[in-house]
């Protein structure tokens, strides 16, 4: 089928998650909000999965809210706390699911350096300047395009100390397979997760809302999820997501170690074959699951077309922005020239990728690039 290097976009369901889904769909099909035996059985399972998720995340059971994914979770955290125009803020390289609600609320974007990191002194000064005027601040744990890892407990502490009462939200979508989520959860007010990023089903997510954090629902229609998020629970998907989350967190150390070898092998092989190709945010603290590179003299659109034909599946950035004519806002925020930014490609890895695949993929990428630029290996 080819070599799949787009795991930051989505991952296949694990065998354990798929088995859980099938069992629940077959045996626990009742609506947890009903008042008969079939529904009560479903409600018990729902309560069980909420308990299991809270244990993995290190939070109270009552702080776990099930959603349809990180897009909904991000919007609920930000727009649910939004009170007046301009009271939201985020980093300039957030996912669109954070940028869009912040922009909708007239909020501001905090710039990053050329390595994708936020200057902590400038961020502290910004919070002091805006003190009392912010409802929520959002910074992602791991950037979805360049893999930069943010020290979330540090930023959360700054917001709590200097913002004058703003909640701190973290998009933790790309962190679940490589970082221990419990210390992050302990430091933030809200955390968003998406099931299909850690081998769970699509259409599932979690929003952790710490006790004392006041959010308003952004969708009306029911009392599910304690009046914050209405809608009938998809129990099979929720159960499969929680099983996948348990797997991801229990295996994160070995996953992290393996992915470092895979990513470094890919980057070393590719840059040896193509000396003019460079790695974005190379000097930042990066996730081993993501490698983002610039291919001068090409566009990611033409590269991806030929790579697809050669059986290597990658991306130009976030899947929600695929097909966009403009270069990635993340790459532009690093100070990369607009034309060069259009050449950025993201390769994202999983433990299913073998060293042999990585070597083959690097050679295919090099051949495609040279085919487009008229060079030779």
């Amino acid at each position: 089928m080819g070599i799949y290097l787009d795991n930051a976009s989505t991952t296949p369901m694990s065998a354990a998650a798929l088995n859980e889904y099938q069992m629940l769909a077959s045996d626990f099909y009742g609506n947890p909000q009903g008042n008969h035996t079939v529904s009560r059985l479903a409600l018990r399972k729902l309560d069980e999965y909420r308990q299991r998720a809270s244990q993995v995340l290190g939070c109270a059971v009552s702080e776990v809210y099930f959603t349809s994914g990180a897009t909904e979770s991000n919007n609920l955290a930000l727009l649910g706390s939004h009170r007046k125009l301009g009271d939201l803020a985020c980093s300039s390289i957030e996912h669109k699911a954070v940028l869009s609600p912040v922009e909708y609320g007239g909020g501001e974007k905090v710039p990053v350096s050329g390595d994708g990191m936020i200057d902590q002194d400038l961020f502290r000064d910004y919070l002091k300047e805006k003190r009392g005027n912010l409802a929520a601040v959002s910074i992602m744990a791991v950037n979805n395009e360049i893999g930069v890892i943010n020290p979330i407990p540090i930023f959360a502490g700054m917001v709590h100390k200097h913002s004058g009462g703003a909640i701190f939200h973290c998009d933790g979508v790309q962190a679940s397979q490589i970082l221990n989520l419990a210390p992050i959860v302990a430091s933030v007010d809200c955390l968003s997760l998406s099931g299909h990023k850690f081998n769970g089903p699509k259409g599932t997510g979690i929003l952790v809302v710490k006790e004392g954090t006041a959010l308003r629902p952004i969708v009306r229609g029911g009392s599910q999820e304690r009046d914050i998020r209405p809608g009938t629970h998809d129990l099979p998907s929720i159960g499969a997501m929680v099983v996948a989350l348990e797997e991801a967190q229990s295996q994160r150390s070995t996953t992290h170690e393996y992915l470092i070898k895979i990513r470094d092998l890919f980057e070393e092989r590719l840059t040896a074959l193509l000396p003019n190709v460079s790695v974005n945010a190379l000097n930042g603290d990066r996730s081993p699951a993501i490698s983002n590179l610039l291919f001068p003299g090409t566009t990611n659109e033409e590269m991806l077309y030929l790579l697809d034909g050669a059986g290597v599946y990658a991306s130009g950035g976030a899947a929600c922005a695929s097909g966009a004519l403009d270069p990635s806002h993340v790459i532009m925020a690093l100070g990369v020239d607009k034309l060069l930014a259009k050449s950025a490609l993201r390769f994202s890895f999983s433990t299913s990728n073998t060293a042999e695949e990585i070597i083959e993929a690097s050679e295919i990428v090099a051949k495609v690039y040279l085919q487009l630029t008229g060079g030779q290996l």
Side-chain angles (χ1 to χ4, degrees), residues 234-306:
D234 181 354
L235 181 60
S237 293
I238 289 171
M241 172 185 63
V242 172
V243 166
L245 179 63
E246 290 172 331
E247 283 188 305
Q249 282 290 280
S250 67
Q251 298 168 6
R252 68 180 184 276
S253 295
T254 54
T255 297
H256 193 280
E257 182 179 351
Y258 182 79
L259 291 182
I260 286 177
K261 296 177 182 177
I262 291 295
R263 182 201 64 188
D264 289 353
L265 175 63
F266 180 78
E267 292 180 352
E268 288 165 6
R269 295 276 302 188
L270 192 56
T271 54
L273 291 169
L274 304 173
N276 63 329
V277 166
S278 59
V279 180
N280 282 311
L282 181 61
N283 296 319
D285 184 12
R286 293 188 298 147
S287 162
I290 296 174
S291 178
N292 193 295
L293 301 99
L294 297 172
F295 293 82
T298 68
T299 66
N300 52 33
E301 183 178 9
E302 57 190 358
M303 284 283 291
L304 290 171
Y305 178 79
L306 293 178

Side-chain angles (χ1 to χ4, degrees), residues 50-280:
R50 201 184 305 275
Q51 171 71 35
R52 287 165 64 174
S54 72
Q55 290 176 339
V56 173
L57 298 172
C59 62
V61 176
S62 61
E63 295 174 336
V64 175
Y65 292 80
F66 294 124
T67 70
S68 64
T71 296
E72 181 188 358
S73 295
N74 292 342
N75 275 263
L76 178 54
L78 294 168
L79 297 181
S81 61
H82 174 54
R83 294 295 186 275
K84 65 181 189 300
L85 193 67
D87 65 1
L88 301 176
C90 67
S91 82
S92 61
I93 59 171
E94 296 295 314
H95 190 280
K96 288 288 187 181
V98 166
L99 281 179
S100 292
V102 168
E103 291 170 351
Y104 174 81
E108 296 178 327
K109 294 175 284 188
V110 178
V112 298
S113 64
D115 59 8
M117 305 299 291
I118 300 171
D119 184 292
Q120 294 183 25
D121 292 331
L122 293 179
F123 183 65
R124 185 183 298 107
D125 292 342
Y126 171 78
L127 293 173
K128 290 179 179 178
E129 178 187 339
K130 299 289 289 187
R131 185 174 181 84
N133 292 314
L134 292 172
V137 178
S138 184
I139 296 177
M140 65 201 325
V142 177
N143 185 268
N144 58 299
E145 293 194 35
I146 57 176
V148 168
I149 299 173
N150 285 306
I152 293 303
I154 292 176
F155 287 124
M158 289 184 184
V159 170
H160 293 149
K161 182 177 181 179
H162 300 295
S163 72
I167 71 167
F168 183 80
H169 166 261
C170 176
D171 178 338
V173 167
Q174 298 291 342
S176 51
Q177 292 188 312
I178 60 162
L179 298 180
N180 184 357
L181 293 176
I184 297 175
V185 170
S187 67
V188 305
D189 300 300
C190 295
L191 176 85
S192 300
L193 296 173
S194 184
H196 74 104
K197 304 294 188 178
F198 49 81
N199 301 111
K202 297 173 180 62
T204 60
I206 290 175
L207 177 64
V208 176
V209 182
K210 303 296 276 296
E211 294 292 343
T213 303
L215 295 181
R216 301 167 300 178
I218 59 174
V219 176
R220 307 282 175 170
S223 59
Q224 296 93 339
E225 294 303 290
R226 283 145 290 168
D227 296 315
I228 288 183
R229 195 266 177 178
T232 301
H233 295 95
D234 181 354
L235 181 60
S237 293
I238 289 171
M241 172 185 63
V242 172
V243 166
L245 179 63
E246 290 172 331
E247 283 188 305
Q249 282 290 280
S250 67
Q251 298 168 6
R252 68 180 184 276
S253 295
T254 54
T255 297
H256 193 280
E257 182 179 351
Y258 182 79
L259 291 182
I260 286 177
K261 296 177 182 177
I262 291 295
R263 182 201 64 188
D264 289 353
L265 175 63
F266 180 78
E267 292 180 352
E268 288 165 6
R269 295 276 302 188
L270 192 56
T271 54
L273 291 169
L274 304 173
N276 63 329
V277 166
S278 59
V279 180
N280 282 311

